[in-house]
């Protein structure tokens, strides 16, 4: 599935804002980081502000800040603001669909349903942990226990190799 540019910009931006929710970030700062037009990004951020995911702050030191809940907000919540998932099986204009069109439509609908389910199961908090792991950062402090967690055991095995 290929997401539209606006959708990708929305995801990049929301993840940037969610990392530091108290900080106001200017659209130009994110636009420079992702090498996109600040004007184009401002339109995406305005939509996110209208939906209540971001708050717009005017004036000196202004910009946008995250107002959502990273533990509850899913990728699907953001994607649906910019993408349409078509659940209908396509048919020929003025006639009924052929068996091939019907079968292909059913497969494509199933793919869309799987994509929706996957995007709906991944929260921003999960994405931030994934980003941190990929960058080698500690995303959260491990819970104290006498036995190391499965993650710690895997990491020890990787380090020993």
């Amino acid at each position: 599935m290929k997401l539209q540019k606006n959708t990708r910009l929305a995801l990049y931006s929301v993840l940037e804002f969610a990392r530091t929710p108290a900080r106001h970030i200017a659209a130009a700062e994110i636009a420079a980081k992702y090498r996109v037009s600040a004007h184009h990004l401002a339109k995406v951020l305005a939509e996110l502000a209208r939906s209540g995911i971001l708050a717009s702050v005017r004036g000196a030191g202004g910009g946008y800040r995250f107002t959502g809940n990273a533990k509850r907000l899913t990728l699907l919540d953001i994607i649906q603001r910019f993408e349409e998932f078509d659940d209908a099986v396509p048919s020929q204009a003025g006639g009924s669909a052929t068996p091939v069109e019907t079968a292909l439509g059913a497969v494509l609908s199933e793919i869309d349903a799987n994509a929706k389910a996957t995007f709906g199961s991944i929260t921003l908090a999960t994405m931030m942990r994934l980003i941190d792991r990929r960058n080698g950062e500690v995303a959260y402090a491990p819970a104290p226990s006498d036995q190391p967690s499965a993650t710690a055991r895997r990491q020890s095995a990787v380090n020993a190799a």
Side-chain angles (χ1 to χ4, degrees):
M1 168 179 226
K2 183 171 168 96
L3 298 174
Q4 296 177 46
K5 184 177 183 177
N6 284 356
T7 307
R8 290 191 319 271
L9 289 176
L11 290 168
Y12 300 155
S13 299
V14 170
L15 286 163
E16 292 288 336
F17 288 112
R19 289 184 87 54
T20 54
R23 181 174 170 234
H24 297 116
I25 305 173
E29 183 179 333
I30 293 175
K33 182 173 185 175
Y34 292 100
R35 297 174 305 282
V36 297
S37 160
H39 179 71
H40 184 87
L41 180 61
K43 291 179 182 180
V44 171
L45 297 180
E47 173 60 29
L48 292 169
R50 277 192 295 277
S51 68
I53 295 170
L54 301 179
S56 174
V57 180
R58 297 194 179 270
Y64 293 87
R65 67 177 179 80
F66 184 66
T67 58
N69 181 340
K71 291 181 180 178
R72 292 186 178 225
L73 190 65
T74 67
L75 297 181
L76 184 61
D77 295 329
I78 298 160
I79 291 169
Q80 285 184 319
R81 306 256 177 240
F82 301 92
E83 302 279 341
E84 290 184 29
F85 287 94
D86 188 13
D87 294 330
V89 176
S91 64
Q92 290 285 357
S96 62
T98 67
V100 170
E101 290 171 322
T102 302
L104 184 57
V107 169
L108 295 175
S109 291
E110 186 174 339
I111 291 169
D112 275 352
N114 288 336
K116 281 176 71 171
T118 301
F119 289 137
S121 69
I122 302 171
T123 65
L124 293 183
T126 300
M127 279 300 297
M128 289 186 290
R129 285 192 302 272
L130 176 63
I131 293 164
D132 290 342
R133 276 195 301 256
R134 297 243 169 141
N135 288 332
E137 299 172 13
V138 176
Y140 53 89
S145 71
D146 295 333
Q147 296 246 335
S149 68
T151 304
R153 288 191 301 271
R154 281 192 303 271
Q155 187 62 42
S156 294
V158 169
N159 291 340

